[in-house]
Amino acid sequence: MTNSNKPRLRFFETAANQQHIPAADKYLYKIDQPNHKLVVIGTGTIGQEHMRVAATLGRASVHGIYDTSAQSLDAAERGFKKYSQDSLIRYTDIESACSDSAADAIFICTPNYSHFDVLQVALKSGKPIFLEKPMATALVDAAQIVEQARNYSAFIQIGLQYRYKAQYIEAFHEALSRKSLGNIKTISMSEYRPPFLDKVGQWNKFNEYSGGTLVEKCCHYFDLINLLAESSPQRVYASGGQAVNFLDFEKDGRKSDIDDHGFVTIDYANGVRASFTLNMFCPDFYEELVVTGDAGRFVAIEKVAIHQQKAVEASVSVCLGEQGASRTTDLSYPAVIEQSGHHGASYYEHNAFLDQLEGKPVDSATPEQGLWAMIVASAAQQSIVSGLPVDIKEFITQHDLAAALNE
Ligand SMILES: NC(=O)c1ccc[n+]([C@@H]2O[C@H](COP(=O)([O-])OP(=O)(O)OC[C@H]3O[C@@H](n4cnc5c(N)ncnc54)[C@H](O)[C@@H]3O)[C@@H](O)[C@H]2O)c1
């Protein structure tokens, strides 16, 4: 067995009855030293998740961290010490975080409104960059990032990691590789969940700082739908609003203005029709994808009963009628991977980032795919305000996005 195909048996590595094995006798339990060093900028909820995921994966170590809030840095350091004995540099400014010659890559995990400015500093490093979703709050900035990435000496990967959730890997496999559903005609995706959580500075309660709910959160789903449709969106219509959440929320005399529910329809150039449903005033999390072709239907469900503190439940069904065998399957990644964040999706996203860093081919999100997800989300937000459908060709012209899209 070589290192690359040696099975990782974490259960035994950490089992009490295996701790007597001397280091010199470790073969199955031998853990390779990390090959890469990461800097994490923004150590809030997702920054801390990336630190944990990096340690769980073990291919890269977290070399240093930077945040404008001492409280976030303290919390990140406290958390890190629980699972790692590595030392951690605490940078005092963004320039030194981005220019440390000992680091190999930069993770930008700051709020949406800061992505563009933080990225401009990170780009000076010439290092590979991971940029959290949504890549920006404004389309003009997202388009500029796409063009900057095209001319950059390294690469920029966008944090659209839902494509690595177990049930969506299966969706791509059935619908696109195996083609068991035949020609895809409709895609419907739904998310039911509790309200946006508290954030540092409460940036996610305001359209200005988050880019709007459909951009901030639902870019994940528009990315998935775009990938499954394998075509470009032509027309978007949406209806939505703020019905329940944060109606009485104010910060610095300003009222929260974010939507908490909505319905979006998307027509694609190849005739695929898609819909997206959002409801953010539910007690727990429920995500559903239904893809239907002329030969069958695929359903993916993910449930998290947070109040019952149950593990995530994910399943997929393939229904082929008389065309073949139908089945329903429960899915899970190993518990340690699922628990590292976003049910394992962030772990496989890191793996892809490090593969890309090592020059291997990957299927992680590119800046251009990040921009397409933002185009659908932003067009849907425009449609909610105007009450009218949005023609995407016109929208691209109005926002001067053609060059970024190579159109
Ligand atoms: N991919 C995903 O599934 C996922 C999940 C959650 C959040 N996110 C994204 O990650 C980003 C951060 O979200 P979060 O939930 O961690 O927010 P958060 O508020 O919990 O943390 C953000 C951190 O960034 C710090 N910060 C703000 N401006 C900064 C700057 N200029 N330089 C350095 N640090 C700065 C804040 O002090 C805070 O500690 C957002 O873009 C969000 O959309 C992605």
Side-chain angles (χ1 to χ4, degrees), residues 45-46 67 72 112 115 132-133 161 199-200 203 216:
T45 309
I46 200 75
D67 197 293
S72 296
N112 306 355
H115 286 179
E132 261 304 344
K133 55 52 52 180
Q161 88 283 32
K199 295 288 162 192
V200 178
W203 57 267
E216 148 54 14

Side-chain angles (χ1 to χ4, degrees), residues 133-406:
K133 55 52 52 180
M135 56 206 285
T137 48
L139 285 166
V140 60
D141 292 344
Q144 194 172 331
I145 292 171
V146 170
E147 302 212 47
Q148 287 179 316
R150 220 169 259 152
N151 301 316
Y152 192 45
S153 52
F155 66 89
I156 302 175
Q157 179 173 316
I158 307 297
L160 291 164
Q161 88 283 32
Y162 279 32
R163 52 174 79 193
Y164 294 116
K165 284 191 181 188
Q167 68 271 26
Y168 302 134
I169 299 256
E170 289 301 307
F172 297 134
H173 178 64
E174 287 299 335
L176 305 184
S177 308
R178 211 172 165 212
K179 297 192 185 298
S180 53
L181 314 177
N183 297 309
I184 294 170
K185 300 295 179 190
T186 64
I187 301 167
S188 54
M189 176 101 236
S190 317
E191 184 189 35
Y192 293 85
R193 58 160 286 168
F196 277 138
L197 305 182
D198 284 347
K199 295 288 162 192
V200 178
Q202 294 288 21
W203 57 267
N204 61 354
K205 308 302 177 297
F206 301 97
N207 290 324
E208 182 186 348
Y209 302 128
S210 67
T213 299
L214 296 181
V215 168
E216 148 54 14
K217 177 67 223 286
C218 310
C219 58
H220 279 302
Y221 302 109
F222 298 128
D223 178 53
L224 291 171
I225 295 170
N226 286 344
L227 289 172
L228 283 162
E230 289 192 304
S231 181
S232 49
Q234 300 286 286
R235 193 171 50 238
V236 171
Y237 174 73
S239 169
Q242 185 179 23
V244 176
N245 297 345
F246 309 116
L247 293 174
D248 60 352
F249 181 95
E250 267 191 41
K251 189 168 162 59
D252 303 330
R254 192 172 172 181
K255 283 180 179 303
S256 167
D257 59 358
I258 48 156
D259 292 340
D260 59 12
H261 69 287
F263 299 95
V264 181
T265 60
I266 313 156
D267 294 338
Y268 284 88
N270 61 357
V272 169
R273 291 197 167 87
S275 73
F276 172 69
T277 297
L278 175 71
N279 186 303
M280 297 191 65
F281 37 91
C282 288
D284 51 20
F285 293 85
Y286 178 82
E287 211 171 278
E288 186 183 82
L289 167 72
V290 184
V291 186
T292 312
D294 52 16
R297 182 177 56 139
F298 175 93
V299 181
I301 290 173
E302 180 189 283
K303 290 188 222 173
V304 192
I306 42 170
H307 300 280
Q308 287 69 25
Q309 297 190 9
K310 287 190 181 160
V312 60
E313 286 175 41
S315 67
V316 295
S317 303
V318 180
C319 318
L320 299 182
E322 295 188 4
Q323 314 274 354
S326 298
R327 66 175 193 279
T328 297
T329 315
D330 291 337
L331 300 171
S332 62
Y333 289 131
V336 67
I337 292 177
E338 286 205 339
Q339 286 157 12
S340 67
H342 284 84
H343 319 311
S346 302
Y347 178 97
Y348 293 100
E349 168 186 58
H350 265 239
N351 208 36
F353 183 85
L354 297 172
D355 278 350
Q356 191 165 190
L357 199 149
E358 292 173 5
K360 297 174 192 157
V362 291
D363 52 6
S364 53
T366 63
E368 198 169 325
Q369 289 172 329
L371 175 58
W372 273 115
M374 266 187 76
I375 288 173
V376 176
S378 308
Q381 289 180 175
Q382 178 177 307
S383 178
I384 288 175
V385 174
S386 70
L388 299 170
V390 175
D391 180 281
I392 296 298
K393 268 208 177 90
E394 284 171 18
F395 191 77
I396 286 171
T397 308
Q398 278 159 13
H399 291 272
D400 204 10
L401 305 175
L405 298 169
N406 268 337

